[in-house]
Amino acid sequence: MRSIWNGAISFGLVSIPIKLVNATQSHSISFRQIHTEDGGRIRYRKVCELEEREVTQSEIGKGYEDADGTIIPITDDDLAHLPLPTARTIEIVAFVPADRIDPLQMDAAYYLAASGAPAAKPYTLLREALKRSNRVAIAKFALRGRERLGMLRVVGDAIAMHGLLWPDEVRAPEGVAPDTGVTVRDQELDLADALMDTLGEVDLADLHDEYREAVEEVVAAKAAGETPPEAPEPAKGGKVLDLMAALESSVRAAQESRGEASEADAEVRSLPRRSRPEPKETGGKKSTSTAKRTAAKKTAAKKATAKSTAKKTPAKKATGTKAATGKKTAAKKTSSRKRSA
């Protein structure tokens, strides 16, 4: 990888010669401006407005425009002799836990490559010290005409540096959040949790730029004289009237897309059933419906008692008949005994 800056890391009294290389690369597709009538390139020419002629790159320098419009020339030699210790040095000023860095401050990323054999030992020392401390280094450095803030951390066996915005360059989120009072119910949070669990985690290596791929397909089709692929119909949007229904549908759609549990197995917590309210009383009397239910219960109880009584009556009659029969038998036996005597 080609270095874009050469200097050293200042780690107390330890100096580590390094080369700065870009850690990222852009794969975005760029377009040229053309004349739509004949396809000719549209180019910009750099013209001196005083002489009204085009100038070459070697004739172009830097200038600072003052408040009154005066241009003050600034040369590379002027910038090279700035009274800053960070002009050619990445000066470490502190070591802090990584969670102290607000991601909003993150800017471009670079790799710090050891420059030559003498840098191997101090480079490794700094890398291992960062690993063991579980901290990151905060540093100041100058690049492209301005002093910047950086964060050094370990990536594999290398030291990476993230450019950081200065704290006063990060805007406060005032006026961004809704200014109206909104109440989120527990059931809605439960469904949101279920949706997050269903979506789960993802390997970032599996993600890719679908927009760039679609543009490449269009370019390839037009280059081959073919008809570009048609765009899919956009999803019909609209106002979400029922947030609960939208969340439930989202959970089911996410599960189906991943081929996971069916709707019956969805980890969606159903809403608790509301208990029926007790009957209201007016003036110390129960409501009409309650009175009707009570009367019906009493009538049923009376009918049950009558049936029970009807069942017991035959049993008593049977008992009386048996007693009479017994008396008659005893009388006959006594009469027979008297005749025998």
Side-chain angles (χ1 to χ4, degrees):
M1 291 183 283
R2 185 175 64 87
S3 63
I4 60 173
W5 184 90
N6 295 330
I9 300 174
S10 176
F11 177 32
L13 297 179
V14 178
S15 181
I16 311 171
I18 55 97
K19 294 180 180 180
L20 192 69
V21 298
N22 285 317
T24 61
Q25 57 184 347
S26 175
H27 290 156
S28 62
I29 296 176
S30 59
F31 297 99
R32 303 294 187 186
Q33 290 186 327
I34 62 171
H35 188 200
T36 55
E37 291 186 3
D38 55 19
R41 284 281 304 278
I42 302 298
R43 299 181 183 275
Y44 292 97
R45 290 183 169 85
K46 297 180 180 180
V47 177
C48 174
E49 62 180 18
L50 296 180
E51 298 181 6
E52 295 184 352
R53 70 176 181 86
E54 186 177 354
V55 296
T56 62
Q57 185 62 37
S58 61
E59 298 177 90
I60 300 175
K62 299 181 181 67
Y64 177 82
E65 185 175 3
D66 207 350
D68 59 358
T70 303
I71 301 296
I72 303 172
I74 300 295
T75 65
D76 291 338
D77 189 60
D78 294 331
L79 297 177
H81 292 84
L82 288 175
L84 290 175
T86 58
R88 303 301 297 177
T89 304
I90 299 174
E91 182 184 8
I92 295 177
V93 297
F95 292 88
V96 300
D99 57 9
R100 286 269 301 276
I101 306 301
D102 189 340
L104 286 174
Q105 289 184 255
M106 294 289 189
D107 202 358
Y110 309 94
Y111 286 131
L112 304 181
S115 182
K121 182 65 178 288
Y123 185 98
T124 304
L125 171 65
L126 176 59
R127 182 191 67 199
E128 296 304 313
L130 288 173
K131 278 185 181 179
R132 192 168 70 172
S133 67
N134 289 322
R135 288 182 289 178
V136 297
I138 303 301
K140 296 170 70 176
F141 66 103
L143 181 65
R144 299 190 178 99
R146 58 182 290 245
E147 189 174 53
R148 301 166 185 257
L149 198 61
M151 178 190 76
L152 278 64
R153 69 184 184 95
V154 177
V155 178
D157 291 332
I159 299 175
M161 181 174 69
H162 296 268
L164 299 178
L165 300 174
W166 296 99
D168 59 359
E169 292 180 316
V170 179
R171 293 178 175 178
E174 296 178 359
V176 177
D179 57 357
T180 57
V182 178
T183 301
V184 178
R185 295 181 295 169
D186 290 340
Q187 293 87 349
E188 293 167 340
L189 285 174
D190 290 341
L191 283 171
D193 289 341
L195 178 58
M196 293 193 305
D197 292 339
T198 303
L199 293 176
E201 298 182 358
V202 66
D203 186 354
L204 294 181
D206 295 335
L207 302 179
H208 56 278
D209 188 350
E210 296 182 4
Y211 178 82
R212 177 175 61 86
E213 293 176 354
V215 172
E216 289 175 345
E217 289 181 8
V218 171
V219 172
K222 298 198 74 172
E226 302 173 355
T227 303
E230 295 184 0
E233 294 184 3
K236 295 180 179 180
K239 294 182 179 179
V240 178
L241 301 180
D242 190 342
L243 182 58
M244 295 289 289
L247 287 170
E248 289 174 348
S249 300
S250 299
V251 172
R252 287 193 294 270
Q255 289 177 334
E256 290 174 1
S257 66
R258 289 174 174 263
E260 295 178 355
S262 62
E263 180 180 350
D265 299 329
E267 296 182 7
V268 179
R269 302 176 187 178
S270 59
L271 295 176
R273 295 182 178 179
R274 295 183 179 179
S275 57
R276 294 182 178 179
E278 295 294 332
K280 296 182 179 179
E281 295 183 2
T282 305
K285 296 182 179 180
K286 294 183 179 180
S287 62
T288 304
S289 60
T290 305
K292 288 181 178 180
R293 288 197 296 270
T294 304
K297 289 179 180 179
K298 289 181 178 179
T299 302
K302 288 180 179 180
K303 289 181 178 180
T305 303
K307 289 180 179 180
S308 176
T309 303
K311 289 179 180 180
K312 291 178 180 179
T313 300
K316 289 181 178 180
K317 289 181 178 180
T319 304
T321 303
K322 288 180 179 180
T325 305
K327 288 180 180 180
K328 290 180 179 180
T329 303
K332 286 181 179 180
K333 288 181 179 182
T334 304
S335 175
S336 297
R337 288 175 183 175
K338 287 179 178 181
R339 288 175 182 175
S340 300

